[in-house]
Amino acid sequence: MKTEIINQPYSGEFKERIYDIESPWNSQSWTWIKFIDENLNETVGQFRGTPKEVKYSENRNEIIVLTSDYVYRLNASDLNIIETESQPQYQDLEVSPDGIFFFHNYYEIEKMNSSLSDLTEIQSPFKMDDIRFRKWNGNILEFECEEFTNWSRNEIMELDTNEWKIKIKTAHNTV
């Protein structure tokens, strides 16, 4: 399964599904995600909120769509909603090489266990602020952050997704 955020398609261009949740708090913005299955069938999902991220976990056979309004957890086989969470504080989403979804708000990184309501905060060596995921090196995700209330301290950090531990990337690791 391939997933990507796209611009609003022309009507009738793709098979479409609308994922709307009735709420007076909904924004007027929408996100369009193109899903391409192993048979190259294309479906476009329309999700409430401005786009943030979409990730597919082959191990879980699930897709998570993150918008400004909701987190949508979908079954990748039929694209049906498993669960949603409204007004998420998450700024970004990733999936580890072994298929575990994790999120960050500005201050912490949380991995999803069995559901969106079952999250574990990953402990950091210091209180973080303004987290920004950067790149993968095998099972290690490199990210940047500042220290909370000490914004002159900007660090490059590493999240080991085998151990689920965060450490400061040391200078001798740089190439």
Side-chain angles (χ1 to χ4, degrees), residues 126-139:
F126 58 86
K127 184 82 173 130
M128 300 181 291
D129 191 13
D130 196 22
I131 298 168
R132 295 173 308 284
F133 292 157
R134 288 177 48 160
K135 63 181 181 184
W136 283 95
N137 299 312
N139 283 344

Side-chain angles (χ1 to χ4, degrees), residues 89-106:
Q89 299 301 305
Y90 308 121
Q91 300 304 309
D92 205 354
L93 156 73
E94 265 298 342
V95 62
S96 70
D98 55 354
I100 297 171
F101 292 109
F102 58 100
F103 304 88
H104 83 73
N105 55 31
Y106 288 111

Side-chain angles (χ1 to χ4, degrees), residues 125 140 143 156-160 165-169 173:
I140 296 176
F143 67 95
I156 297 175
M157 308 290 281
E158 293 180 327
L159 169 61
D160 181 333
K165 300 232 185 296
I166 295 173
K167 67 177 187 171
I168 300 169
K169 184 172 182 176
N173 283 353

Side-chain angles (χ1 to χ4, degrees), residues 61-113:
N61 193 41
E62 292 178 4
I63 299 163
I64 291 194
V65 176
L66 176 61
T67 73
S68 59
D69 288 22
Y70 294 95
V71 180
Y72 299 83
R73 184 172 157 223
L74 307 177
N75 179 317
S77 297
D78 57 15
L79 300 179
N80 288 334
I81 292 176
I82 297 169
E83 65 176 331
T84 62
E85 181 182 300
S86 65
Q87 305 298 317
Q89 299 301 305
Y90 308 121
Q91 300 304 309
D92 205 354
L93 156 73
E94 265 298 342
V95 62
S96 70
D98 55 354
I100 297 171
F101 292 109
F102 58 100
F103 304 88
H104 83 73
N105 55 31
Y106 288 111
Y107 310 106
E108 60 246 344
I109 297 174
E110 297 177 311
K111 77 171 178 150
M112 187 179 90
N113 299 309

